[in-house]
Amino acid sequence: MSSARAKILQAIRAASPATSSGKGPIGAQAAALSARAAATRPERVSGPVDAAFLTRLQDPGIGATTERVATLQDFPDAVRRYLAAQGLAAAVAVQPHPELLALDWSGVETHHHIATDEGAAVGLALGGIAETGSLVFHSSAASPTLFAFLPLHHVVAVRAETLWPWLEDYATALATLPQPRNVNLVTGASGTTDIEGTLVRGAHGPGWLHIVLIGSTNAT
Amino acid sequence: MTAAFSARVDAALASPTLKLAIDRTTGTARSKRAAAMAAWPEFNIARDLGRDIKDHVIENLEHYLVTFEKNAIASGAKVHWAETGAQACAIVVDICRKANAKSVTRAKSMLGEEIGLPHALEEAGIERVETDLAEHIIQLAGDPPSHIVWPALHKTREQVAELFRTHHRDPGALASVEAMVGSARRQLREKFMAADVGISGANFLVADTGAVCTVTNEGNAELTTTPPRVHIVTAGIEKLVPSTAHAMAMLRLLVRSATGAELTQYTTFHCGPKQAGDLDGPEEFHIVLVDAGRTRMLAEGLADMLRCIRCGACLNHCVVYRQIGGHAYGATYPGPMGAVLTPSLSGLEAAQDLPRACTLNGQCQEVCPVAIPLPTLLRGWREKAWQQGFEPATVRWAVALWRFLILRPALYAAASAIGLRLMPLFSRNGWISRLPLAGGWTAHRDMPSPTGGTFLAQYKRRMKK
């Protein structure tokens, strides 16, 4: 439909006669708009980024639980404790990330594909965002998208040194990374308010999200 | 008021459950938004920024569309252009046919509703599975959406339970809203994985990466777009932002205004098809850029309305919407934003009642996260309706008579003095419950009997003191 393209662009040209002339180059205008964002952010993220991230995740609207361990080697223990506390079977789908595969998962049955009705999955996030308490996943062979959406329980490790303070800091970092097919910002457990505005967890995605923060910002 | 609109409003007001259902959801939405704003004193400057980002994009729309197209193609996406809704539907159906699709999952998109995509898929004989919980409910009920964020807002929990009991494979007891959500989860699980094509809308199109941003709280968008072989996006051409950073600034406004949360549970940027090594994701990624009246809005002086990010705050705060609900508007977009959009999308003559069904109290503009002057735009439609002669003859004569009098102050004073003398004749115990020529007013309320003379007479008296 290249004729549709030509007609739409022609209609735009006809309707907007050079409105932005005199405002400088488009790129400079866009950059000036970006520069104003810092003043519009909620004044919250101050002090250590890891503390801000964990504080944000206390918000009941997000619907996540958190804990902190010293190193990634402590993550399987955290997962075992979580499964036991939730009364779940000792079986998890492990996101096929080399660093997760290298850990000692003894005592837990592990598999590396995700089933439609997966009970629990463990993952490693690319990073997190303190402002919103979000986890960041970039789709890849080591991070299939469905690991964050199919399980009922999702237990995710994120390293303190990979936390960004603000949404914009992540956006800046993204520009320097290879663009993945999917960027998933996961902010808490799945929820819906579609029936009478009542919040219910586990609509289609995970009903439980447990975040294990690895290390601390100060230690790095 | 046209008979069709009047009949829809009467039906809405007569419904025993609608007001209750509207109050439950919009009440929660208003209080959650208010709490979010109380924790965000920067809202006013953030709103100015949101307005300016969208205005900048609209002023440079051709530049951003072409940039987005170039970057989307570079990411492996196929970009299609549609001048009309029908063209867009034809493109989508054609892609589905080429993919030999039997089943399509769909993540809620108001543009999809606007262009009639659900109907077009059904006509093509393709199974359509709505995956957003609210869209699933109204698909079972055979209803159109009644709100742009909560499409099933008109359904009470009792009505939802009844629908699920009838249609779900394994409904269980359905004694609570939790149980209803669980039943829908079981019902839709296999459908997600079995679909041949997933269709979504777009909250933002990011020009400098060619990515499409969607936001959901349920996770249904990603479960719709990841498993099938083909993902199709339909998006209005006004959805552009220059970069991911600009999208973040807009997300702060959108989510707080819609649900009171700071960010949706799932915010996803979709960029191209499955890459080498990816274990999931679609093999084909199509983006259909849809005009469907947007360039006409630009030409008609409605550029301000192209800023709209579909948060639904103006609906939740509108005193008219909260009485009559979404269906009474008779269009895809209800409430204040719908009353501005519909005359442009479907023609003013057919939609002339919508701009009139407004008290101009300004609440919508106050809560709008991109500062759209909705009351001004609604007044603009009223003026056009007047100029084009859509007002009924009685209204035109009455206004002509009023004009004649108001231009002659002495005559106006005399006429209103006579009116004031006559009105007490209809009063009983100080209240007027029936008045000639004002039956529409007195049918539902009484009017106090006037005392103390006309306003101007009282004003003159007081100024003398």
Side-chain angles (χ1 to χ4, degrees), chain B residues 246-312:
Chain B
H246 295 91
M248 299 303 189
M250 300 309 298
L251 282 165
R252 283 194 190 97
L253 287 163
L254 169 65
V255 185
R256 284 174 176 83
S257 301
T259 67
E262 298 202 352
L263 197 61
T264 37
Q265 315 301 106
Y266 303 108
T267 306
T268 290
F269 294 85
H270 310 259
C271 190
K274 190 186 243 184
Q275 296 180 2
D278 279 0
L279 297 181
D280 52 20
E283 278 148 38
E284 288 177 40
F285 183 59
H286 297 268
I287 301 164
V288 187
L289 298 171
V290 186
D291 179 348
R294 277 132 183 94
T295 54
R296 194 174 58 240
M297 285 170 63
L298 209 50
E300 276 176 343
L302 284 173
D304 285 345
M305 196 60 213
L306 291 173
R307 291 204 292 266
C308 178
I309 52 176
R310 311 289 193 257
C311 71

Side-chain angles (χ1 to χ4, degrees), chain B residues 386 389-400:
Chain B
W386 176 267
F390 296 148
E391 301 282 353
T394 46
V395 173
R396 300 187 77 86
W397 290 337
V399 174

Side-chain angles (χ1 to χ4, degrees), chain B residues 141-455:
Chain B
D143 287 350
S146 66
H147 189 288
I148 62 174
V149 175
W150 292 276
L153 163 149
H154 57 285
K155 292 284 186 219
T156 61
R157 67 179 74 194
E158 294 81 5
Q159 291 169 321
V160 173
E162 191 54 43
L163 279 169
F164 286 5
R165 202 167 292 126
T166 311
H167 296 281
H168 280 183
R169 213 175 41 237
D170 176 21
L174 299 177
S176 63
V177 175
E178 284 79 6
M180 296 174 207
V181 173
S183 178
R185 183 183 174 106
R186 289 191 295 279
Q187 182 76 14
L188 291 170
R189 211 88 194 134
E190 294 302 329
K191 300 278 188 188
F192 280 123
M193 304 312 282
D196 303 299
V197 174
I199 303 178
S200 73
N203 290 94
F204 302 102
L205 303 172
V206 184
D208 76 344
T209 61
V212 173
C213 175
T214 61
V215 301
T216 76
N217 290 314
E218 299 177 4
N220 65 304
E222 294 74 10
L223 287 172
T224 296
T225 62
T226 311
R229 278 178 290 119
V230 179
H231 174 195
I232 308 173
V233 177
T234 57
I237 55 172
E238 84 284 13
K239 291 284 180 189
L240 285 152
V241 288
S243 73
T244 310
H246 295 91
M248 299 303 189
M250 300 309 298
L251 282 165
R252 283 194 190 97
L253 287 163
L254 169 65
V255 185
R256 284 174 176 83
S257 301
T259 67
E262 298 202 352
L263 197 61
T264 37
Q265 315 301 106
Y266 303 108
T267 306
T268 290
F269 294 85
H270 310 259
C271 190
K274 190 186 243 184
Q275 296 180 2
D278 279 0
L279 297 181
D280 52 20
E283 278 148 38
E284 288 177 40
F285 183 59
H286 297 268
I287 301 164
V288 187
L289 298 171
V290 186
D291 179 348
R294 277 132 183 94
T295 54
R296 194 174 58 240
M297 285 170 63
L298 209 50
E300 276 176 343
L302 284 173
D304 285 345
M305 196 60 213
L306 291 173
R307 291 204 292 266
C308 178
I309 52 176
R310 311 289 193 257
C311 71
C314 63
L315 280 63
N316 300 334
H317 289 77
C318 173
V319 291
V320 176
Y321 177 88
R322 282 157 53 195
Q323 295 299 321
I324 64 176
H327 291 156
Y329 289 79
T332 305
Y333 301 106
M337 53 82 77
V340 173
L341 280 174
T342 309
S344 181
L345 298 176
S346 331
L348 179 56
E349 184 159 16
Q352 56 177 297
D353 291 312
L354 306 184
R356 286 191 209 119
C358 168
T359 65
L360 298 177
N361 72 7
Q363 272 269 299
C364 49
Q365 181 172 354
E366 226 166 86
V367 298
C368 177
V370 284
I372 299 173
L374 289 155
T376 308
L377 299 177
L378 288 165
R379 272 198 298 270
W381 281 126
R382 290 183 186 184
E383 271 175 45
K384 275 191 187 160
W386 176 267
Q387 284 156 7
Q388 293 176 25
F390 296 148
E391 301 282 353
T394 46
V395 173
R396 300 187 77 86
W397 290 337
V399 174
L401 175 66
W402 181 80
R403 180 178 186 274
F404 177 81
L405 290 171
I406 198 79
L407 289 172
R408 292 161 181 80
L411 204 54
Y412 186 82
S416 41
I418 293 170
L420 279 186
R421 294 245 175 83
L422 290 175
M423 281 169 77
L425 300 178
F426 299 92
S427 108
R428 215 162 271 167
N429 303 325
W431 290 91
I432 299 168
S433 55
R434 284 179 68 186
L435 194 64
L437 304 177
W441 174 274
T442 53
H444 297 289
R445 37 186 128 41
D446 293 346
M447 189 186 287
S449 184
T451 51
T454 65
F455 170 77

Side-chain angles (χ1 to χ4, degrees), chain A residues 41-118:
Chain A
R41 302 190 293 213
E43 195 49 63
R44 183 191 306 120
V45 186
S46 53
V49 152
D50 54 350
F53 179 69
L54 290 176
T55 304
R56 178 69 204 130
L57 284 164
Q58 302 306 309
D59 186 297
I62 292 182
T65 50
T66 59
E67 69 176 287
R68 192 202 294 256
V69 298
T71 70
L72 190 62
Q73 275 61 46
D74 303 321
F75 182 47
D77 264 344
V79 171
R80 285 183 204 104
R81 283 196 304 274
Y82 178 84
L83 295 174
Q86 294 284 336
L88 298 170
V92 288
V94 178
Q95 180 189 320
H97 193 290
E99 290 189 74
L100 291 181
L101 301 182
L103 296 172
D104 175 10
W105 292 101
S106 54
V108 182
E109 186 275 306
T110 58
H111 45 278
H112 308 295
H113 64 273
I114 187 96
T116 307
D117 271 313
E118 194 69 56

